[in-house]
Amino acid sequence: MSETRTTADFYFDPLCPWAWMTSRWMLEVEKVRPVDVRWKVMSLAVLNEDRLDELPAEYRELMAKAWGPVRVVIAAQQLHGDEVVGKLYTALGTRFHNKGEGPTREAIVAALADVGLPAELADHADKDTYDAELRASHKEGIDKVGQDVGTPVIAVPGADGDEVAFFGPVVTPTPRGEAAARLWDGTLLVASTPGFFEIKRTRTASPSFE
């Protein structure tokens, strides 16, 4: 019998290093569980735009930079289809995080070239052409989990037909193989428990980009 596969919607902001770690775990999950990831954008800039005055100056500067990369991704999706989103995210994340290039225009242009997309898409970093679509995708993801979380958000069909959605998991380094499978199984178990909301502890390590 063919294996029934599950689609997991993964909402990300390419600027976030922790979402990047979780996304690499999801690629491992695809190898060890019957799961297919569908990549969608959310935006830290949108999430924080109404409370910028409450944020430290350094984080406000980061939020100003956060618009560019996610705008480029949503423009690529709108102009070239859903299938380019995951590939472009991998190219951007590899350059931003693993290679330490940061969210510069040069890194964005290079990432576009890595996946065969036109360099002019980088111009959308400074355009609001697809902000309505960006905000709609962000709202879709955040409405599943509430306003007091960030990126990533993962949503999957539950065993009873109801959707199971959650923020995270926040993890480093990226679990591989059976460790990735165990984390997936456990995350689904707790997230699907009625009335369950949160497990958390202080982060004692920075993202480990391998």
Side-chain angles (χ1 to χ4, degrees):
M1 294 179 61
S2 61
E3 198 170 31
T4 300
R5 300 191 65 82
T6 296
T7 298
D9 288 332
F10 188 102
Y11 296 83
F12 68 91
D13 186 313
L15 193 68
C16 179
W18 291 104
W20 174 247
M21 297 301 303
T22 308
S23 74
R24 300 309 92 182
W25 164 67
M26 284 303 303
L27 293 182
E28 285 291 309
V29 171
E30 282 189 315
K31 299 175 185 176
V32 293
R33 289 292 183 267
V35 173
D36 298 310
V37 181
R38 182 163 54 189
W39 304 99
K40 300 188 175 187
V41 296
M42 62 184 297
S43 170
L44 290 173
V46 172
L47 183 68
N48 290 289
E49 64 181 347
D50 292 331
R51 59 186 194 96
L52 288 176
D53 292 343
E54 306 169 16
L55 301 176
E58 182 179 353
Y59 199 77
R60 288 200 300 271
E61 293 177 9
L62 183 64
M63 289 303 94
K65 297 176 182 177
W67 283 104
V70 75
R71 279 175 165 168
V72 172
V73 176
I74 197 69
Q77 184 265 331
Q78 291 293 307
L79 296 171
H80 297 275
D82 294 338
E83 65 275 7
V84 306
V85 176
K87 296 175 185 177
L88 181 55
Y89 180 31
T90 289
L92 289 169
T94 299
R95 289 185 173 277
F96 290 0
H97 306 301
N98 293 64
K99 295 184 178 180
E101 297 177 15
T104 64
R105 179 180 175 84
E106 292 76 14
I108 292 172
V109 170
L112 290 166
D114 290 340
V115 295
L117 289 170
E120 343 27 306
L121 280 172
D123 296 338
H124 285 277
D126 301 313
K127 296 179 180 180
D128 62 2
T129 309
Y130 299 108
D131 277 11
E133 291 81 0
L134 170 58
R135 289 177 182 276
S137 183
H138 173 85
K139 184 177 186 301
E140 179 184 281
I142 208 70
D143 280 354
K144 298 176 186 295
V145 290
Q147 294 291 328
D148 57 343
V149 302
T151 178
V153 168
I154 300 174
V156 297
D160 59 0
D162 291 334
E163 187 174 61
V164 176
F166 48 90
F167 160 70
V170 176
V171 62
T172 190
T174 300
R176 308 286 181 182
E178 189 55 31
R182 289 196 301 271
L183 179 57
W184 176 252
D185 295 342
T187 300
L188 288 187
L189 178 63
V190 296
S192 61
T193 299
F196 175 84
F197 296 108
E198 186 172 1
I199 288 178
K200 192 170 185 178
R201 60 183 175 186
T202 300
R203 299 176 197 177
T204 58
S206 298
S208 176
F209 307 125
E210 299 171 346

